[in-house]
Amino acid sequence: LVDPKTGNIVEKSVFVVYFQGEAGYLHSKIVKVCQAFGANMYPWPSNGAQAKEQYNRLVQIVAEKDQALAGFQKTMKCEAEDLLAPAADNLSGNSKIEEWRLFLHQRN
């Protein structure tokens, strides 16, 4: 598992604690225990509407990241195709080579 705080690969155990209320003795005890063990705490939706809203937001984020990944992959594919194209089809590359050849010829 990758630790979200450090980015290092670590072995972790997962545990879940459910309780009501964000104030009081129980909340402070749970927070202290989690901090002592270096546990990550995540908010939990308090009702179905908040859960649905959070789910929809996460689905939208995943869709946006998938779209960005597809665009990046398309760009990389085009770049690779340009780099792998034969020299005869690559006129700008040929002109640079020709310029360099002429420069070296003039120097000698």
Side-chain angles (χ1 to χ4, degrees), residues 44-81:
W44 190 258
S46 61
N47 59 41
Q50 286 181 347
K52 185 69 172 170
E53 180 183 326
Q54 184 175 354
Y55 174 78
N56 290 337
R57 190 170 358 104
L58 292 173
V59 167
Q60 182 181 4
I61 289 170
V62 169
E64 289 171 358
K65 290 187 179 202
D66 283 343
Q67 186 179 7
L69 177 61
F72 174 75
Q73 289 173 334
K74 183 179 177 183
T75 300
M76 292 305 296
K77 183 178 178 184
C78 289
E79 291 288 328
E81 288 172 354

Side-chain angles (χ1 to χ4, degrees), residues 8-47:
N8 296 332
I9 296 176
V10 293
E11 289 187 27
K12 289 192 171 199
S13 298
V14 176
F15 65 94
V16 179
V17 178
Y18 296 102
F19 62 95
Q20 289 182 324
E22 294 189 21
Y25 180 75
L26 183 60
H27 179 263
S28 63
K29 276 294 193 191
I30 291 172
V31 169
K32 286 180 184 177
V33 169
C34 289
Q35 288 173 344
F37 284 99
N40 297 316
M41 294 182 61
Y42 301 98
W44 190 258
S46 61
N47 59 41

